[in-house]
């Protein structure tokens, strides 16, 4: 090795210094070891005790979900106390003993017990496992009585969603459910994810709850808690800067009281509406609107389901039952059910005819049928209606008269008028699952048969079907209510379901007059009046109070082609057919006739007869609405402090 | 003059270099990183994500970087020392302009697809530069105040920049590593003592003038009396000690740490990770981990002692001291012996740049080991022409 003198010197100095550093490091390591010994061996008992007593944790305080209330401030979705029982396996020690003791009180079956055991095994032993949710006050009291003897058992009061309207509000308010993996993936921030992971947190799954979920959700707060080994909170350090904020309140246009009444009327099987049938259970829907501002006062669909069941977690068997019922309790019928409008559509045909240059005075003689293209079209009245003008034809709902008109109206004109009155379009009222229905036209047919050019031609015979509300034409009950509102007012009425949002009442809309000669409406209105009040097709639906004079139109729409007795060749009556093959019954109406305020559309699935089933129900609904006259009652506007922002102080029991 | 010299004094081929790899060092580093993976797995509640799997990936990449750096002949490192230093200094200068803010400080910049902390890279670059400086300095001039100016400037420039980010912990660590190299180079004790007194006076003046933020002072002093404010600055410390202390002799067992799992520490996967390790593996586990660190230090110090070039000696020893300083400060911090400053535990704490920096520095140590027999770090032709 060849080192120059200065190199030797600096090498020696380096070696000395490096040794000093090495020695220093060794000493420091010994120091660290001594400190560790002191902490982990000498003071272990002391720190062990501190650890038991001194677990700090950051706990999320879940926000209360915003309240949803009806037009008069009645809660339709709110929060209630949820009595829960939890168990901390680590503290329980003998988990089986705890389960044995509580199983009786709570009525837990083997399946439930298996779930609890599985969860207890999967989680960290100091993480609480949910034993039961939504238990009764009585059960809660008995658990609290047991708790002191059973370590690890905890009872808590949390908030859960409550739907006071139950079935009758199901399709408007919707329901909430536990977030799933997809919701977690879609969460934009870590904070949201954390909130979604909280046990008991719910997000909107249907209806208004879903549409306005973000507004209803609120903001989470946090609290620093000091808990001991048993999970008991020794001290809470509320984080004043991070208080939970309740979701905003949302006000609906519906009248909860009427909503419940109408649901009952629709579901009734023992009223005079059912004399033609075998008292089959009702599958029906109704929409009542305030024609001045488009407020949907009643939005009913029967049968429905109880959204509270969905919040708690619906049982498989119950779900299957709902899903398979021929009454379609899960279908949101007012916007999701598309039915041929039947004779109610003749009102639109009457307007289209006038716009095609046919005077209301135009007369046709009905002899019970019409020959067209070598086919005999039968009027609903075999004996014929005799000589009728347009008003008379509406009153009697004469098919032959409207077939005569149909030969003089272009289908595209008819479709244009139908759209003008709100058919064939989606009316966004904040609910999901809405269908547009079908308003047939040449263009529609071309699109519908785009893969089959031979089928694309529109035949004039088809216009005959559409003119009396059959053929490919379908509409929803909401669209029919909108149509009736527009016929009654001559204005472009739009429906709305939400009237209080973002802390303010929504502005009262001012609807523009329809772009047409409004005199065309006169004969339609007068005809509708005659239907009810001049011994027309719905004479039995007349309201007894003359101030409530209701104008209406019946509709009976075929579900399938006419059925004949194979032996006698007699046309079968509806009640002789299986329920699913019976005609739909429809009725559209508004009242009072002179000064329209309320419009109502009723559809009874397979109700057999518009005049026999739907009409009387509409009459009962209108009677209820006019008796209360909700449009005249001041609506509710929330003031600060009207809604609770914090649920009653959480309780905690020590095991 | 004799020019018959053994080959290995001037550099080795790649195959020879591979034969010379110091496997015990690699083994020790891998064991420590393994402890890191286990702890990160536990901290995530028994999950490979978000940290443990990444940690493995990063270690593998960093290990490759170690080999690459180790195979680069030491004389190239000598030539690269100043350029590397000024390149990293340039990156540090860029931080205020294109840096990303994280946890209230601007430390990260993005280079292509990689996010790096230039302050971490500076730990290696500064030691490289100082070793280069003293390699070329005659010993008699080492204690000459005039020749002390360049190294002090080399230290001061990055330290000021890092301090401004603000990252007090790293700034102090970089400064300390730098001074360690100056001491190793043989600065006389007399000058050293004068310097220490001057630094102390300077620091006091700095605090008085308000250069340090209130939270920095509080963090620096909290370790002396953590119970004065149990929910404030001393909070982490109190919780850390409870976790360690409750671990006992054998620990609570893998993934059974109740204290650390209760999420009382915001940086349990980075700066406070030793707490989790100590709680779950107890006194025995913690001592084994400390012993591994010490073994790494001794191995690197041994390599420094065996190196024939002054550059290699200073480089390997400087890096060894810097490494062990991190371990001492971090573990001292969680035990309440040192101030709570943001110093990670090398190879165990989660963090890509730190991992890479540590492994690059051991790559340099490896290069020193492989080229330990070269004394002047000149090529054969330069030597023969002398």
């Amino acid at each position: 090795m060849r080192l120059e003198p200065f190199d030797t010197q600096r090498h020696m100095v380096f070696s000395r210094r490096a040794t000093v550093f090495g020695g220093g490091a060794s000493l420091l390591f010994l120091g660290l070891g001594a400190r560790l010994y002191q902490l982990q061996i000498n003071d272990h008992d002391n720190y062990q005790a501190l650890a038991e007593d001194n677990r700090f944790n950051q706990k999320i305080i879940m926000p209360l979900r915003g309240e949803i209330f009806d037009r008069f401030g009645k809660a339709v979705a709110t929060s209630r106390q949820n009595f829960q029982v939890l168990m901390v396996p680590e503290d329980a020690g003998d988990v089986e003993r705890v389960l044995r003791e509580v199983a009786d009180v709570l009525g837990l079956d083997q399946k439930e017990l298996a779930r609890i055991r599985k969860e207890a095994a999967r989680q960290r032993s100091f993480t609480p496992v949910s034993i039961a949710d939504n238990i009764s006050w009585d059960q809660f009291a008995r658990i609290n009585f047991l708790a002191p003897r059973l370590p690890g058992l905890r009872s808590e009061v949390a908030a859960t969603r409550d739907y006071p309207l139950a079935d009758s509000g199901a399709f408007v308010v919707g329901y909430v459910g536990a977030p799933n993996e997809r919701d977690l993936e879609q969460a934009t921030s870590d904070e949201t994810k954390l909130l979604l992971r909280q046990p008991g947190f719910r997000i909107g799954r249907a209806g208004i709850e879903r549409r306005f979920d973000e507004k209803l959700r609120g903001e989470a707060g946090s609290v620093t808690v000091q808990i001991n080994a048993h999970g008991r909170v020794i001290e809470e350090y509320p984080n004043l800067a991070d208080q939970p904020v309740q979701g905003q309140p949302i006000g609906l246009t519906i009248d909860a009281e009427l909503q419940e009444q109408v649901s009952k009327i629709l579901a009734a099987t023992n009223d005079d509406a059912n004399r033609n049938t075998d008292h089959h259970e009702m599958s029906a829907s109704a929409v009542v609107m305030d024609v001045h501002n488009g407020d949907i006062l009643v939005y009913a669909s029967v049968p429905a389901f109880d959204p509270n069941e969905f919040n708690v977690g619906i049982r498989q068997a119950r779900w299957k039952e709902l899903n398979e019922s021929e009454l379609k309790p899960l279908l949101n019928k007012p916007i999701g059910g598309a039915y041929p409008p039947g004779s109610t559509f003749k009102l639109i045909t009457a307007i289209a005819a006038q716009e095609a240059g046919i005077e209301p005075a135009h007369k046709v003689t009905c002899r019970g049928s019409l020959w067209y293209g070598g086919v005999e079209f039968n009027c609903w009245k075999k004996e014929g209606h005799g000589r009728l003008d347009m008003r008379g034809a509406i009153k009697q709902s004469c098919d032959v008269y409207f077939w005569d008109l149909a030969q003089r109206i272009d289908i595209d004109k008819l479709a244009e008028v139908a759209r003008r009155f709100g058919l064939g379009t989606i009316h966004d009222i904040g609910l999901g699952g809405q269908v547009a229905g079908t308003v047939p036209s040449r263009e529609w047919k071309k699109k519908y048969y785009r893969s089959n050019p031979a089928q694309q031609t529109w035949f004039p015979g088809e216009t005959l079907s559409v003119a009396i509300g059959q053929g490919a034409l379908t509409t929803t009950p909401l669209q029919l209510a909108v149509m009736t509102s527009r016929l009654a007012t001559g204005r472009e009425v739009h429906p709305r379901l939400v009237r209080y949002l973002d802390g303010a009442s929504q502005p009262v809309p001012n609807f523009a007059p329809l772009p047409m000669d409004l005199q065309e409406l006169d004969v339609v209105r007068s005809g509708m009046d005659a239907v009810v009040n001049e011994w027309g097709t719905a004479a039995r639906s007349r309201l007894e109070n003359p101030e409530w004079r209701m104008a209406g139109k019946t509709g009976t729409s075929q579900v399938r082609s006419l059925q004949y007795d194979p032996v006698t060749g007699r046309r079968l009556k509806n009640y002789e057919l299986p329920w699913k093959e019976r005609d739909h019954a429809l009725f559209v109406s508004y009242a009072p006739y002179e000064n329209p305020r309320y419009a109502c559309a009723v559809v009874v699935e397979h109700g057999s007869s518009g005049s026999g089933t739907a009409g009387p129900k509409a009459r009962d609904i209108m009677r209820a609405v006019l008796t209360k006259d909700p449009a005249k009652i001041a609506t509710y506007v929330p003031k600060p402090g009207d809604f609770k922002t914090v649920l009653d102080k959480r309780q905690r029991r020590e095991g | 003059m004799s020019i018959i010299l053994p080959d290995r004094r001037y550099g080795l081929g790649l195959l020879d270099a591979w034969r010379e790899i110091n496997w015990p060092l690699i083994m020790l580093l891998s064991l420590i990183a393994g402890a890191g993976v286990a702890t990160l797995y536990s901290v995530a509640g028994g999950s490979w994500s978000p940290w443990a799997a990444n940690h493995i990936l990063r270690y593998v990449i960093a290990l490759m970087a170690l080999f690459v750096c180790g195979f680069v002949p030491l004389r190239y490192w000598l030539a690269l020392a100043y350029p590397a230093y000024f390149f990293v200094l340039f990156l540090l200068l860029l931080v205020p302009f294109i840096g990303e803010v994280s946890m209230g400080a601007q430390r990260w910049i993005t280079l292509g697809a990689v996010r790096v902390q230039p302050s971490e890279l500076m730990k290696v670059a500064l030691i490289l530069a100082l070793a280069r400086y003293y390699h070329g300095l005659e010993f008699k001039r080492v204690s000459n105040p005039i020749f002390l100016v360049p190294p002090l400037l080399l230290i001061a420039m990055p330290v000021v920049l890092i301090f401004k980010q603000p990252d007090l912990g790293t700034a102090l660590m970089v400064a300390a590593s730098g001074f360690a190299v100056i001491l190793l180079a043989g600065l006389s004790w007399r000058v050293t003592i004068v310097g220490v007194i001057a630094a102390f006076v300077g620091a006091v003046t700095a605090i008085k003038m308000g250069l340090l933020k209130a939270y920095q002072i509080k963090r620096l002093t909290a370790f002396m009396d953590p119970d004065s404010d149990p929910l404030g600055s001393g909070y982490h410390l109190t919780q850390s000690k409870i976790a360690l202390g409750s671990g006992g002799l054998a620990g609570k067992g893998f993934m059974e740490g109740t204290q650390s799992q209760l999420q009382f520490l915001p940086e349990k996967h980075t700066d406070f990770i030793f707490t989790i390790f100590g709680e779950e593996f107890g006194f025995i586990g913690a001592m084994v981990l400390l012993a591994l660190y010490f073994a790494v230090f001794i191995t690197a110090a041994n390599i420094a002692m065996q190196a024939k070039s002054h550059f290699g000696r200073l480089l390997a020893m400087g890096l060894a001291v810097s490494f062990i300083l991190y371990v001492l400060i971090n573990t001292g911090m969680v035990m309440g012996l040192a101030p709570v400053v943001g110093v990670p535990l090398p190879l165990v704490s989660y963090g890509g740049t730190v991992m890479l920096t540590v492994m690059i520095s051991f790559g340099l140590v490896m290069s020193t080991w492989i080229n330990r027999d070269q004394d002047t770090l000149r090529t054969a032709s330069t030597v023969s022409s002398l």
Side-chain angles (χ1 to χ4, degrees):
Chain A
M1 205 179 295
R2 182 182 57 92
L3 290 174
E4 288 164 36
F6 75 85
D7 212 28
T8 319
Q9 196 182 357
R10 71 181 188 181
H11 190 178
M12 277 160 55
V13 171
F14 170 82
S15 298
R16 275 207 310 269
R17 293 280 167 98
T19 313
V20 169
F21 271 95
S26 311
L27 282 177
L28 287 170
F29 263 99
L30 281 179
L32 284 179
R35 174 67 169 174
L36 268 180
Y37 186 86
Q38 183 197 0
L39 283 174
Q40 299 196 288
I41 310 291
N42 269 359
D43 295 347
H44 170 63
D45 293 343
N46 184 20
Y47 283 116
Q48 183 68 45
L50 277 174
E52 293 282 301
D53 257 5
N54 200 17
R55 297 179 185 173
F56 282 94
N57 206 348
Q58 203 62 16
K59 206 173 76 183
I60 279 201
I61 311 177
M62 280 201 280
L64 271 184
R65 207 168 159 82
E67 303 263 322
I68 307 177
F69 52 91
D70 85 339
R71 64 189 295 110
F72 302 125
K74 185 176 188 289
V76 296
T78 181
S79 300
R80 68 171 165 81
Q81 291 178 326
N82 170 18
F83 300 115
Q84 306 176 301
V85 184
L86 308 163
M87 177 184 57
V88 183
E90 185 185 66
D91 303 336
D94 188 352
V95 171
E96 287 306 315
R97 188 183 140 229
V98 174
L99 290 183
R100 258 200 319 278
E101 294 260 1
V102 297
D104 254 359
V105 179
L106 299 172
L108 301 173
D109 56 18
Q110 283 307 319
K111 231 170 100 186
E112 279 294 295
L113 291 173
R115 174 195 63 84
I116 296 166
R117 286 192 194 102
K118 204 172 124 194
E119 258 179 55
R122 204 181 50 207
Q123 295 178 349
R124 289 177 183 286
S125 57
F126 52 82
T127 314
V129 177
S130 166
I131 292 189
D133 235 355
N134 288 298
I135 60 171
S136 70
W137 167 249
D138 184 50
Q139 289 172 320
F140 190 68
R142 286 168 69 187
I143 289 292
N144 283 338
F145 178 72
L146 280 178
R149 288 194 291 116
L150 297 172
L153 194 65
R154 260 162 60 182
S155 52
E156 280 191 15
V157 185
T160 190
R161 203 64 164 159
D162 187 39
Y163 301 105
L165 287 190
D167 292 50
S168 63
F171 292 111
V172 182
V173 184
Y175 53 86
V176 291
N180 56 30
E181 281 305 312
R182 220 178 53 222
D183 298 316
L184 279 168
E185 276 165 32
Q186 284 169 351
T188 42
S189 69
D190 288 352
E191 243 168 272
T192 314
K193 269 188 192 144
L194 198 62
L195 186 58
L196 290 182
R197 284 210 180 93
Q198 292 297 307
F201 187 79
R202 295 282 185 270
I203 69 169
R205 281 270 173 259
I208 294 292
E209 290 272 35
R210 177 180 185 162
R211 176 61 165 275
F212 297 105
D213 184 57
E214 302 237 313
K215 293 177 192 288
L216 289 163
R217 201 180 272 183
E219 287 163 34
S222 71
V223 64
T224 304
V225 291
Q226 195 183 359
I227 51 181
N228 73 358
H230 304 288
R232 181 190 188 126
V233 173
I234 296 172
E235 190 84 72
E236 292 206 353
Y237 304 91
N239 195 345
L240 292 179
D242 197 14
Q243 296 279 14
V245 181
Q246 186 180 15
Q248 58 159 280
I250 290 179
L252 304 180
T253 59
I254 62 159
D255 179 337
E257 191 191 357
L258 283 175
Q259 178 92 4
E260 288 188 294
Q261 286 178 21
V262 171
S263 296
K264 280 201 192 91
I265 292 169
L266 286 179
T269 55
N270 54 355
D271 55 5
D272 63 333
N274 286 290
R275 59 183 186 177
N276 284 340
T277 73
D278 50 5
H279 295 256
H280 193 281
E281 277 180 280
M282 288 292 150
S283 172
S285 57
V287 174
V288 178
M289 281 171 64
D290 180 337
V291 299
H292 284 194
N293 51 24
D295 279 6
I296 296 174
L297 296 163
V298 173
Y299 183 100
S301 181
V302 297
F305 55 89
D306 184 351
N308 292 304
E309 284 184 73
F310 281 72
N311 177 22
V312 174
I314 192 158
R315 280 174 298 114
Q316 194 67 32
R318 174 77 179 130
W319 170 257
K320 207 175 154 207
E321 181 192 321
L322 286 171
N323 212 16
E324 289 175 358
S325 166
E326 62 175 3
L327 302 172
K328 291 177 266 181
L330 294 177
L331 177 65
N332 189 348
K333 290 171 190 127
I335 56 169
Y339 310 96
S343 302
T344 59
F345 189 73
K346 287 173 183 164
L347 304 170
I348 298 297
T349 309
I351 288 166
Q354 293 176 70
E355 289 181 11
I358 305 164
E359 291 294 313
H362 172 77
K363 285 195 167 63
V364 172
T365 304
C366 167
R367 293 195 173 85
S369 69
L370 177 110
W371 283 88
Y372 183 85
V375 182
E376 188 181 18
F377 284 74
N378 285 304
C379 186
W380 68 268
K381 195 174 177 187
K382 267 202 313 247
E383 312 83 59
H385 288 102
R387 199 160 168 78
L388 295 166
D389 64 359
M390 200 177 281
R391 182 174 182 275
I394 292 172
K395 175 183 163 187
Q396 301 293 342
S397 199
C398 174
D399 293 336
V400 168
Y401 185 91
F402 285 94
W403 283 327
D404 178 78
L405 296 186
Q407 295 170 51
R408 304 156 201 260
I409 311 170
D410 188 80
I411 182 63
D412 287 348
K413 178 71 198 171
L414 193 54
E416 186 254 303
V417 176
R419 288 218 179 76
R420 192 192 303 158
F421 282 87
L423 305 182
T425 48
I426 298 254
H427 301 282
D428 184 13
I429 53 172
L431 301 181
Q434 192 164 165
V435 298
T438 307
V439 172
S441 63
R442 284 196 181 79
E443 199 193 325
W444 167 82
K445 200 172 181 192
K446 230 174 241 162
K447 255 192 215 151
Y448 189 78
Y449 289 106
R450 59 186 166 274
S451 53
N452 189 355
Q455 299 270 352
Q456 286 177 358
T457 325
W458 182 267
F459 297 104
E462 295 177 85
T463 312
L464 266 61
S465 289
V466 173
I468 61 159
Q470 293 285 163
L473 183 69
T474 56
T475 59
T476 66
L478 176 69
Q479 287 170 348
L480 290 176
V482 170
M483 176 188 86
T484 315
S485 302
R486 292 184 182 182
L487 286 170
T489 57
R491 289 176 182 274
E492 201 184 317
V493 180
H494 288 284
R496 63 171 193 170
L497 198 52
V498 176
R499 47 167 292 277
Y500 184 88
L501 189 69
D502 293 329
S505 294
Q506 301 292 97
V508 177
N510 190 16
F511 301 120
L514 289 166
M516 60 185 281
D517 179 2
L518 294 178
Q519 287 192 340
E520 292 166 11
L521 295 169
D522 290 347
V523 63
V524 172
R525 290 173 184 160
S526 162
M528 287 174 79
D529 178 39
V531 165
V532 182
N533 302 310
E534 283 179 25
W535 302 104
T537 53
R540 83 168 85 136
S541 298
R542 184 173 182 164
L543 286 169
E544 47 289 331
N545 185 340
E547 280 175 31
W548 292 347
R549 191 159 155 190
M550 175 172 85
K553 180 73 196 81
T554 54
T556 305
S557 63
Q558 285 169 23
V559 177
R560 49 175 297 169
S561 53
L562 299 175
Q563 303 286 298
Y564 298 92
D565 189 302
V567 180
T568 62
R570 183 178 59 89
R571 185 179 152 189
L572 289 174
K573 299 259 193 259
N574 257 303
Y575 55 84
E576 292 169 326
L577 296 168
W579 184 76
K580 290 282 266 188
E581 291 175 13
R582 292 176 197 166
D583 298 341
H584 290 317
L586 299 92
F587 197 78
V588 297
S589 59
Y590 66 88
Y593 174 64
E594 287 86 3
N595 186 17
R597 188 71 209 237
Y598 304 108
C600 171
V602 176
V603 177
V604 181
E605 283 188 11
H606 310 295
S608 300
S609 155
S611 61
T613 313
K617 286 193 186 294
R619 174 200 65 204
D620 292 349
I621 291 169
M622 272 300 194
R623 185 189 291 131
V625 171
L626 289 162
T627 306
K628 185 172 184 185
D629 207 0
K632 299 276 162 58
I633 306 171
T635 52
Y636 166 77
V637 177
K639 294 177 291 293
D642 269 9
F643 294 106
K644 55 188 166 198
T645 46
V646 187
L647 201 74
D648 309 297
K649 182 95 182 129
R650 276 148 196 260
Q651 270 175 262
R652 233 171 254 274
R653 296 288 159 102
E654 167 65 7
Chain B
M1 176 182 278
S2 161
I3 53 164
I4 302 163
L5 300 159
D7 279 346
R8 44 191 304 140
R9 291 184 59 186
Y10 305 105
L12 299 166
L14 208 55
L15 199 65
D16 293 325
W18 176 257
R19 289 199 188 106
E20 288 295 326
I21 291 276
N22 190 323
W23 290 108
L25 182 63
I26 303 284
M27 186 72 84
L28 288 169
L29 294 173
S30 300
L31 280 173
I32 294 172
V37 172
T39 318
L40 289 169
Y41 181 84
S42 170
V43 171
S47 163
W48 288 104
S49 72
W51 301 307
N54 254 342
H55 199 68
I56 295 178
L57 184 72
R58 285 169 171 182
Y59 179 72
V60 171
I61 292 169
L63 191 60
M64 288 192 276
L66 182 150
F67 281 118
V68 171
C69 293
F71 290 147
V72 172
L74 197 58
R75 62 171 185 278
Y76 289 2
W77 285 119
L78 184 74
L80 277 169
Y82 286 141
Y85 171 86
F86 284 107
F87 176 68
V88 177
L89 191 67
F90 172 69
L91 292 185
L92 263 180
L93 273 168
L94 282 182
V95 170
F97 303 106
I98 61 166
E100 289 167 39
V101 178
S102 164
M103 302 192 74
Q106 214 169 12
R107 295 173 190 173
W108 300 85
I109 61 169
T110 305
L111 289 178
V114 208
R115 235 163 54 110
V116 293
Q117 270 176 289
S119 54
E120 287 295 326
L121 294 176
M122 184 43 92
K123 289 191 286 193
V124 182
L126 177 64
I127 293 169
L128 256 178
L130 289 171
R132 166 75 189 86
Y133 177 79
Y134 283 110
H135 177 80
L137 194 68
E138 280 181 78
F139 181 70
K140 60 182 180 197
R141 288 178 167 160
V142 168
S143 295
N144 183 334
I146 292 169
F147 288 94
L148 200 52
V149 173
L152 285 181
L153 272 179
L154 285 176
I155 294 171
M157 286 187 292
V159 166
V160 168
L161 286 173
I162 296 167
F163 177 74
K164 283 277 170 199
Q165 287 181 352
D167 187 351
L168 180 65
T170 309
L172 288 176
M173 298 300 290
V174 169
S177 314
F179 290 125
V181 177
I182 299 183
L183 281 179
L184 286 168
L187 185 70
S188 77
W189 291 116
R190 212 175 311 144
V191 181
T192 310
I193 289 163
V194 172
V196 167
I197 292 167
F200 183 75
V201 173
V204 171
T205 325
I207 292 168
K208 285 220 167 129
M209 281 167 61
L211 267 174
L212 286 172
K213 299 198 169 135
Y215 81 89
Q216 289 174 321
I217 297 170
K218 217 167 180 183
R219 272 179 121 189
L220 283 174
T221 53
F223 82 102
M224 294 180 223
D225 184 13
D227 304 321
S228 60
D229 179 16
L231 280 176
S233 306
Y235 169 75
H236 293 169
L237 218 50
T238 308
Q239 294 305 318
S240 177
K241 286 198 303 195
I242 292 173
L244 275 174
S246 63
L249 177 68
K252 295 177 183 168
F254 183 48
M255 291 191 30
E256 293 295 328
T258 53
Q259 292 298 293
S260 34
Q261 303 294 358
L262 283 169
Q263 325 212 330
F264 61 84
L265 293 173
E267 301 186 25
K268 57 184 178 167
H269 65 293
T270 55
D271 294 355
F272 279 85
I273 195 160
F274 187 75
T275 309
I276 284 95
F277 188 86
E279 187 191 4
E280 297 193 347
F281 298 102
F283 178 69
I284 296 172
M287 286 308 286
V288 168
L289 184 59
L290 287 181
L292 285 174
Y293 277 118
F294 191 66
V296 168
F297 171 72
I298 292 299
T299 308
N302 184 41
I303 288 170
M305 296 294 230
Q306 295 198 33
K308 304 228 165 26
S309 65
H310 200 53
F311 176 69
R313 289 196 292 254
L314 288 174
L315 184 63
M317 195 64 199
L319 292 170
V321 169
S322 165
F323 175 78
I324 211 62
L325 211 52
Y326 271 72
V327 176
L328 288 168
I329 297 281
N330 178 279
T331 52
M333 169 181 85
V334 302
M335 293 180 213
L337 290 175
V340 177
V341 284
V343 172
L345 187 61
L347 300 174
V348 174
S349 286
Y350 184 76
T353 318
V354 180
M355 168 86 80
L356 194 65
T357 314
V358 168
M359 294 299 271
I360 285 176
S361 47
F362 282 106
L364 298 179
V365 172
M366 191 63 79
S367 175
T368 309
W369 169 253
I370 291 169
N371 303 288
R372 60 189 177 276
D373 289 335
Q374 302 165 45
D375 48 7
T376 58
L377 297 181
R378 291 178 192 134
T379 57
S381 58
T382 2
V383 174
S384 60
S385 69
L386 280 175

